[in-house]
Amino acid sequence: MKKYSFITLLSIFMLILTACSEGNPSTTSTTSASAKKESGSDTVLVTEAFHSLLYLPLYVGYHEGVFKKNDIEISSIRSAGTGPTALTSVLSGEAQFSVHGPEHVGFAKEKGGEANAVSAVANSAPVWVLGNKDVKFDSPADLKGKRIVVGLAPGTSNTMLKRLLADNGLDYQKDVKVTEVQNGSELGPVLAGEADIAVAYQPQVEQGLSEGLKILHDFTKDYPEYAFSTINTSQKIINENPHLVRRFVKSMNESFALIHEHPEIAKAVAKKEFPELDEAVVDQAVQRMIDSKVYRENVEITEEAFKNAIDMQKFVGNIKNDMKYKDIVNAEFVPK
């Protein structure tokens, strides 16, 4: 079994957030383009909050030529570092589409920015709670007194942990000892024996399992419908080039279908995007997210998924005003 030091784990997963592999669309030209080609196809720039296995449906569409088949040339998939930054590029006209949580569309609207979420990317709540094998866990109430490592607030994993504790009568500040770290470095303290539990995303989950940890709690079962990330675009593009938006959403829909019909293709793309990761870990992470419906079978952003995501943001106080589905999500481009 392959072993990893804390430094190695930290390095690997910081790469996930900031780096892209050779041949990755993110390392191609970063020049923004929305010019219409003579052939009738469109060239677009896509900005993502960060480079993540959670966004695999987008990468599958790129590598497998799905977008090209629908007359879209993606010049670059560029990591912006945050959701708001990714969306700002779209609102400024630099990029045409962005990938992040739909709540950022709502925040932008509150400041006068006109955008909509038009396609699902990562669904359900792709967060898992891992523990050492000697950790006794029959229910979330058993988290009391435990040393827990989780990503920094206001990240979704942090929010999920707070909600799980609150729902089980536990206080985040008093009943558990929480250490907040950068996303991707949650496993180190647990593997080093300095903590009992890690709250993590993929592929850290499979990495932890390969190191002898066990899954204690699966948030995808709590929230099988959860709009974790969406494809977003500006109202300007919707008004001026609805045919582009329709073809982009159609491409995403076909990518989801391809993932479910041919998981081996999705796994191959994931390995291409993240060559620094162990191949077995990548295979297992992709398969778990297919099985957990993190990768939906279609692009629909359901009202339930939207509500669950917004309610979670309200729970931690990130959202003060009501955000309505019809104001944030434009479902007219979902293939019938």
Side-chain angles (χ1 to χ4, degrees):
M1 182 180 292
K2 192 171 182 180
K3 298 294 182 182
Y4 294 83
S5 68
F6 172 75
I7 297 300
T8 301
L9 284 167
L10 178 59
S11 299
I12 286 174
F13 294 113
M14 287 303 290
L15 279 171
I16 295 174
L17 301 181
T18 59
C20 305
S21 61
E22 183 177 356
N24 183 312
S26 303
T27 61
T28 61
S29 169
T30 58
T31 301
S32 170
S34 61
K36 199 83 169 177
K37 293 184 178 179
E38 289 182 4
S39 63
S41 66
D42 291 274
T43 299
V44 302
L45 167 65
V46 181
T47 49
E48 55 184 1
F50 48 84
H51 195 56
S52 171
L53 195 57
L54 294 167
Y55 301 161
L56 184 59
L58 175 64
Y59 310 149
V60 168
Y62 173 84
H63 285 287
E64 294 304 307
V66 178
F67 287 99
K68 285 187 176 180
K69 185 187 72 172
N70 290 309
D71 296 323
I72 296 174
E73 182 74 34
I74 295 180
S75 65
S76 176
I77 299 174
R78 189 174 71 194
S79 178
T82 68
T85 305
L87 182 58
T88 295
S89 293
V90 171
L91 293 173
S92 71
E94 178 189 17
Q96 287 67 52
F97 299 94
S98 57
V99 189
H100 46 73
E103 66 275 8
H104 296 300
V105 173
F107 296 145
K109 281 181 176 289
E110 290 174 351
K111 297 177 181 179
E114 290 300 322
N116 281 117
V118 294
S119 166
V121 178
N123 186 59
S124 84
V127 180
W128 288 261
V129 179
L130 303 176
N132 284 312
K133 287 188 175 179
D134 59 354
V135 172
K136 180 181 179 297
F137 187 90
D138 294 318
S139 74
D142 291 327
L143 292 173
K144 186 172 183 178
K146 297 296 189 297
R147 299 170 299 171
I148 304 174
V149 183
V150 68
L152 295 169
T156 302
S157 61
N158 189 293
T159 303
M160 290 280 177
L161 173 62
K162 287 175 179 172
R163 184 62 181 266
L164 183 65
L165 292 171
D167 288 348
N168 287 273
L170 299 177
D171 187 279
Y172 185 84
Q173 302 290 340
K174 300 176 181 178
D175 293 320
V176 292
K177 182 180 179 181
V178 178
T179 301
E180 297 186 355
V181 298
Q182 290 288 343
N183 286 338
S185 58
E186 297 92 342
L187 295 182
V190 179
L191 294 175
E194 299 167 358
D196 308 302
I197 289 168
V199 183
Y201 303 104
Q202 291 287 12
Q204 297 98 303
V205 174
E206 304 307 323
Q207 191 74 66
L209 294 177
S210 75
E211 294 287 341
L213 302 184
K214 62 181 179 180
I215 293 178
L216 304 179
H217 191 81
D218 181 350
F219 283 105
T220 68
K221 294 181 179 177
D222 293 343
Y223 305 97
E225 290 291 331
Y226 190 99
F228 182 85
S229 60
T230 55
I231 294 290
N232 314 277
T233 193
S234 67
Q235 188 62 49
K236 184 175 187 292
I237 290 177
I238 290 174
N239 293 341
E240 296 180 357
N241 199 347
H243 187 46
L244 166 61
V245 180
R246 193 172 304 282
R247 283 181 285 122
F248 198 97
V249 175
K250 180 176 183 287
S251 299
M252 288 297 298
N253 202 60
E254 291 172 359
S255 294
F256 279 116
L258 183 59
I259 288 173
H260 284 271
E261 291 168 9
H262 300 285
E264 71 282 0
I265 292 177
K267 293 170 185 177
V269 169
K271 291 170 191 173
K272 186 178 297 185
E273 286 286 321
F274 302 98
E276 70 279 5
L277 297 177
D278 182 88
E279 290 189 356
V281 165
V282 173
D283 284 346
Q284 292 157 7
V286 171
Q287 190 61 55
R288 191 179 300 278
M289 288 198 281
I290 291 173
D291 295 340
S292 301
K293 300 298 175 68
V294 174
Y295 308 138
R296 285 183 57 86
E297 294 178 339
N298 58 62
V299 296
E300 182 185 11
I301 305 167
T302 67
E303 291 195 43
E304 180 183 0
F306 176 81
K307 183 179 185 301
N308 284 337
I310 297 305
D311 284 351
M312 194 65 68
Q313 294 294 326
K314 287 180 179 178
F315 168 74
V316 289
N318 293 337
I319 294 177
K320 306 297 183 184
N321 301 321
D322 193 27
M323 290 189 182
K324 297 180 180 179
Y325 178 85
K326 64 181 180 61
D327 295 333
I328 307 296
V329 178
N330 186 327
E332 70 175 288
F333 301 103
V334 174
K336 306 302 181 185

